[in-house]
Amino acid sequence: DTVWPKTGDSNVDLRRLTLKTNALMVGFGATNILDTYLSTETYRGADIRFLSYTRRERDASPWINQFQHEGHLAYADNRSGNGGTMMGAYTFRYSLLHKWNVDLWRHPLQINAGGTVAANVGFIYNTRNGNNPAQARLSVDLTPSASAAWRFTVGRTACKAVYEVAVPLAGVMFSPNYGQSYYEIFSRGNYDHNVVPTTVGCAPSLRQLLALDISLGRTALRLGYMGDVRQAKVNNLKQHTYNHMFVLGMVRRFTICRMQP
């Protein structure tokens, strides 16, 4: 859709175009959870995830601003089936990306690359534990990210293949130390290296999305796969979450025309 601002000046003819893309997605699939602060067992179960993002880009600028919100809930059981783990988190991401437009087999291909700042807050709760049954998740990451979008047609239907990848490079996270209780941290104020710098060496992680957008008039149906691997080994504790899920969503693009005298 093209949105035109109202103006009473007939001499206004210089136009600045801004492309705005909104996407709403839901993902559901399998999860694998380990947190040795709570248990040395690995828990397997299901994860559901809600994602939305807004992307803004101007025709006269090579830069893209992107804002993303993501929330997810997961429940998993241990091997014996006599205990469970619940997990939830919210993540906000801001990305600044540079775009390049090229032709691939006479179809437009857009390549984006840049950096993302991601802030995460969440929890994990183990139903079997009496002492220290829960663990807080807090982290901030600086993440190089890249994406590619290739437009093509199948018959009379416009389609777009999308691939996105991000690898956290460095950041900080909260973690109790080995054997340290939350009572010691918050009631007694015993700090023990609880704000931990992270790098790709101690927290190797990978996030990727492969999707197909199928045009349905003014919107597009998105079908795809998302893989999200998060790992960390800090304070003599290990944690990971491996998620593989099917993604279903809707994508809508708006062209906003701004006029200047």
Side-chain angles (χ1 to χ4, degrees):
D1 293 347
T2 302
V3 180
W4 297 87
K6 295 181 180 179
T7 178
D9 189 351
S10 60
N11 295 322
V12 175
D13 59 5
L14 180 61
R15 302 168 185 172
R16 295 170 54 201
L17 298 178
T18 300
L19 179 62
K20 180 180 177 182
T21 303
N22 290 334
L24 293 173
M25 295 170 281
V26 59
F28 45 91
T31 187
N32 182 304
I33 302 171
L34 171 70
D35 191 315
T36 58
Y37 180 75
L38 301 178
S39 173
T40 57
E41 285 283 338
T42 297
Y43 290 76
R44 293 177 174 84
D47 185 290
I48 184 168
R49 191 165 301 209
F50 300 92
L51 307 97
S52 72
Y53 74 74
T54 299
R55 173 180 292 182
R56 295 178 181 269
E57 53 187 299
R58 293 181 178 176
D59 61 336
S61 172
W63 297 101
I64 298 173
N65 290 279
Q66 181 172 287
F67 303 86
Q68 187 178 97
H69 302 270
E70 177 179 330
H72 81 95
L73 293 170
Y75 183 83
D77 287 317
N78 59 17
R79 289 175 295 176
S80 59
N82 59 0
T85 286
M86 292 181 287
M87 183 177 179
Y90 164 76
T91 304
F92 171 77
R93 299 180 181 91
Y94 167 72
S95 302
L96 180 62
L97 307 170
H98 192 284
K99 64 180 178 180
W100 294 269
N101 294 306
V102 298
D103 286 333
L104 180 63
W105 298 316
R106 298 183 179 180
H107 295 286
L109 171 67
Q110 181 173 302
I111 301 173
N112 308 316
T116 298
V117 177
N120 174 269
V121 56
F123 72 93
I124 179 171
Y125 176 77
N126 190 298
T127 60
R128 295 192 63 188
N129 289 6
N131 294 325
N132 296 335
Q135 163 80 300
R137 295 283 179 90
L138 297 166
S139 65
V140 178
D141 296 310
L142 178 61
T143 305
S145 53
S147 64
W150 183 50
R151 298 180 180 277
F152 61 97
T153 58
V154 178
R156 296 184 178 181
T157 303
C159 299
K160 181 171 70 172
V162 178
Y163 179 70
E164 300 176 359
V165 62
V167 179
L169 182 64
V172 293
M173 65 177 291
F174 167 81
S175 175
N177 215 317
Y178 182 81
Q180 183 185 28
S181 69
Y182 276 76
Y183 172 78
E184 294 178 75
I185 300 172
F186 296 108
S187 295
R188 305 192 63 179
N190 293 338
Y191 175 83
D192 189 8
H193 199 241
N194 301 124
V195 178
V196 186
T198 57
T199 66
V200 69
C202 66
S205 302
L206 172 68
R207 173 186 172 86
Q208 56 184 341
L209 170 71
L210 179 62
L212 175 65
D213 292 351
I214 304 170
S215 178
L216 300 174
R218 296 181 179 180
T219 62
L221 173 67
R222 172 165 289 184
L223 305 171
Y225 158 80
M226 175 179 288
D228 192 3
V229 174
R230 303 283 298 184
Q231 302 176 109
K233 184 179 180 181
V234 296
N235 289 344
N236 297 309
L237 298 170
K238 293 181 180 180
Q239 60 178 251
H240 74 230
T241 56
Y242 304 149
N243 294 293
H244 301 279
M245 58 189 63
F246 172 75
V247 175
L248 176 66
M250 301 297 293
V251 181
R252 190 165 187 179
R253 293 157 58 93
F254 301 87
T255 301
I256 303 172
C257 183
R258 302 181 186 279
M259 296 184 177
Q260 292 181 338

